[in-house]
Amino acid sequence: MLRQRARFFRTMLLLCDGLLVGGAVVASFHLRFHHLDAWLPPRNLAGAPRYAEHGIPFVAAVAVMLLAFGWCGVYRPRRDQRFVVELGAILRGVLVGTAATFGFVAFFSHALFDGRDPSRVQYLVLAVLLIAGMGLWRGLFRAGLRTIRRRGWNLRHVAIIGTGRLGQIVSRTLTRNSWTGISPGYFISHHPRTGRAECDGLPVHGGLDQLE
């Protein structure tokens, strides 16, 4: 069950990140040639710029960027870490992904992209958009997830083995930090058998001999 939920959230994040990267790729073209051209005039550009000739290839950028995110640890579980750690992974992923996208498009420009020649400034704009967009999106996602888990939704119920002091500390810590999404459901005694029915407000469902 835990792995299924983890796969579900990872798939959802991949889809949303892919949409965000795709939007940033298109936006970087329009910002470069329709808003920054007055300050940074494009070189060797005859006529109005067309996305098919001067835009970063959409599919290539999304694929390469998602691979870079995975390689830099953007999709690792980080419930017990501060958001700044996730931001660091996003920053590394964007920088690596932008550099890899530039190299991939430049190398396969004639073989796969009909000689497409995106502006160098366009890659810089893409990186800035992705850092801001990914940071904002992941921050809102984390805040929303914490909110719904504090209200008792999307929780993962676990059993705590051991009714001693350490087991009770674990139970109270998880209960106080409901944002983690892990909720203690019951205890299993660390003794082979037990007559204890309750521990720290939760039921005790037998001992180790009854673990199966």
Side-chain angles (χ1 to χ4, degrees):
M1 179 63 72
L2 295 181
R3 289 183 179 180
Q4 289 177 352
R5 290 190 178 184
R7 284 196 295 267
F8 169 77
F9 276 109
R10 190 177 298 114
T11 301
M12 185 179 70
L13 289 174
L14 280 167
L15 290 174
C16 292
D17 290 352
L19 291 173
L20 191 148
V21 172
V25 169
V26 176
S28 66
F29 171 80
H30 289 283
L31 285 173
R32 170 65 186 99
F33 292 107
H34 298 290
H35 296 279
L36 299 179
D37 55 336
W39 294 278
L40 296 169
R43 297 179 180 178
N44 303 321
L45 184 63
R50 298 172 58 242
Y51 187 86
E53 297 175 355
H54 302 287
I56 301 172
F58 182 90
V59 176
V62 172
V64 172
M65 200 65 68
L66 291 181
L67 288 173
F69 286 165
W71 187 71
C72 292
V74 173
Y75 300 107
R76 293 175 187 168
R78 302 183 186 277
R79 293 186 193 89
D80 58 341
Q81 297 178 344
R82 294 180 300 168
F83 183 53
V84 67
V85 178
E86 187 173 1
L87 280 178
I90 290 173
L91 178 61
R92 291 192 301 273
V94 169
L95 295 179
V96 171
T98 303
T101 301
F102 174 80
F104 183 82
V105 174
F107 188 81
F108 292 103
S109 175
H110 294 284
L112 298 178
F113 307 118
D114 299 323
R116 189 177 298 199
D117 184 26
S119 165
R120 306 299 182 268
V121 176
Q122 196 175 162
Y123 286 99
L124 178 61
V125 174
L126 174 63
V128 173
L129 288 176
L130 283 178
I131 292 171
M134 285 290 294
L136 178 62
W137 143 238
R138 287 305 184 87
L140 292 174
F141 176 77
R142 180 179 282 226
L145 201 58
R146 288 192 175 196
T147 299
I148 65 174
R149 283 173 173 171
R150 285 196 182 101
R151 296 183 178 182
W153 303 334
N154 189 240
L155 296 178
R156 303 176 183 184
H157 300 281
V158 297
I160 299 176
I161 300 178
T163 55
R165 183 171 176 271
L166 180 58
Q168 294 177 38
I169 291 175
V170 171
S171 173
R172 293 166 189 168
T173 301
L174 291 175
T175 301
R176 284 196 303 266
N177 295 276
S178 57
W179 59 268
T180 62
I182 301 176
S183 174
Y186 58 88
F187 281 91
I188 296 174
S189 175
H190 53 286
H191 299 294
R193 292 186 177 276
T194 182
R196 191 171 184 177
E198 185 178 296
C199 177
D200 204 28
L202 295 175
V204 178
H205 292 326
L208 294 179
D209 286 349
Q210 300 164 289
L211 187 59
E212 291 292 337

